[in-house]
Every structure is written in C-alpha cells, then in structure tokens.
Amino acid sequence: MSTDADSLMKSAARAAKKGPPPVHLWNPPFCGDIDMRIARDGAWFYMGTPIGRPAMVKLFSSILKKEGDAYFLVTPVEKVGIIVDDAPFVAVDFTVSGEGEAQEITFATHVGDSVTAGPDHAIRVETGADGEPAPYIHVRAGLEALIDRKSFYRLVELGEEQDGWFGVRSGGAFFPMIDAGQMQG
C-alpha cells in the first residue's frame, strides 16, 4: 500500500477536528516507511526538503507515535515509519511557578505542547558521546522533547542538591541531573 504526506495530512486534519487525536488507541497496519525525518533541532523534513509550514509540522506531530525505539505517523487506517534523529520535540522555553516543594516548571515545545515536569513528565539528563549533557522532558506516550541549550542553562540556575545529586524540583518530584560531586566551581 502506497502512502504519502498529503494523505497523512488529510487524515490527521480530519482527526484533529474532534480534539487531540487518540493516537494511543490506533493500531492500523504498517504501510511501510515514508521519507520523513525529524532532525535533532526539531526541524521536519520530507524527501530531504524542510517542511516550512508550522501548522503542517504541528499536525504531523499530533499523530506521532513511538513503539519501542521506532517512530511512526499513524491515522486510524495507516501507519508509516519515520526517522527521528534524537527526540521528536524540542522544549524551547519554560515558566516557573511556586517555590520549594510546590515549584512547578512548565515547558513549551516548538510544536505548541505544554507540559509540567512531575512524576508523569520526568526530566532526565544523558551525557552525550562528546561529554555534553543532553536534557529531556517526557511529553506524552514515550515521546520526549530535547530541552534546548538556553532553557537548560536557565534550568541549572534553579538547581539544588539533594541526597548527593544536583537537580531540579517540579510537580512534587526531584529530578537529578548530575552527581553533586561532579559539580565544578
């Protein structure tokens, strides 16, 4: 069965008219891979060309699903594989409300999602092969957003030490980012 970005976009648009698509309930047959890729910086490409329309990217992001380590665009009747270089979303900003145990950090993604870090939306930090930190926030259903550099620096400013770890608190949870003994200066 052949599919393309236009048919996916039309199916996604129909589903979106009724609110957020219930992607978690859809399990259509796999129709093959489509030449679509999400770069580490959050840019979407179709057949090697950037998708320049933000509304189209937002629509595609609403039908994104992760199964194991693979990513798919799904509609009620089709499922196609795509490539994701790192995380499918980028957290481009955040706001903070409250203090101490009541502090909440709410992230905004480049596709318009808003998510408050807490037990269901964990922050995690990996160390890349280059030794640089790669921070993420869980957005939905196994999909994460890479926290952009400027936001990560701001996040570190909110950090505190707890049980030998340096991290941040949000939504009643503490998210360790680095062993406190490794902190410099």
Side-chain angles (χ1 to χ4, degrees):
M1 179 176 189
S2 177
T3 187
D4 63 10
D6 288 334
S7 69
L8 282 169
M9 189 173 67
K10 288 173 185 168
S11 293
R14 281 192 299 274
K17 287 180 182 175
K18 302 170 191 145
V23 175
H24 63 286
L25 300 176
W26 297 342
N27 195 18
F30 179 65
C31 301
D33 293 326
I34 188 171
D35 187 4
M36 191 171 288
R37 177 177 73 89
I38 305 172
R40 189 171 198 267
D41 68 357
W44 287 60
F45 294 84
Y46 178 62
M47 296 179 64
T49 302
I51 300 174
R53 291 180 41 206
M56 187 181 293
V57 169
K58 184 173 182 171
L59 192 59
F60 283 138
S61 75
S62 73
I63 60 167
L64 187 62
K65 185 176 187 179
K66 184 176 181 185
E67 295 176 359
D69 290 332
Y71 292 89
F72 303 92
L73 295 178
V74 296
T75 71
V77 296
E78 59 191 340
K79 171 174 148 180
V80 296
I82 68 167
I83 300 295
V84 177
D85 290 352
D86 189 351
F89 308 126
V90 177
V92 295
D93 201 3
F94 68 84
T95 58
V96 180
S97 62
E99 294 179 6
E101 297 284 331
Q103 178 170 279
E104 291 189 338
I105 304 170
T106 302
F107 290 87
T109 71
H110 76 297
V111 293
D113 289 308
S114 178
V115 60
T116 300
D120 294 333
H121 300 283
I123 297 171
R124 69 180 184 89
V125 179
E126 297 288 321
T127 302
D130 58 2
E132 291 293 315
Y136 301 88
I137 174 115
H138 178 257
V139 177
R140 66 177 181 272
L143 301 174
E144 292 184 311
L146 175 67
I147 299 170
D148 72 3
R149 187 176 299 256
K150 71 176 175 12
S151 298
F152 182 60
Y153 288 151
R154 288 181 48 225
L155 197 62
V156 168
E157 291 175 4
L158 296 173
E160 61 185 72
E161 189 175 328
Q162 180 177 313
D163 299 326
W165 287 93
F166 179 82
V168 293
R169 180 177 308 284
S170 179
F174 179 79
F175 301 102
M177 296 191 297
I178 188 170
D179 183 310
Q182 294 178 352
M183 294 291 295
Q184 296 179 7

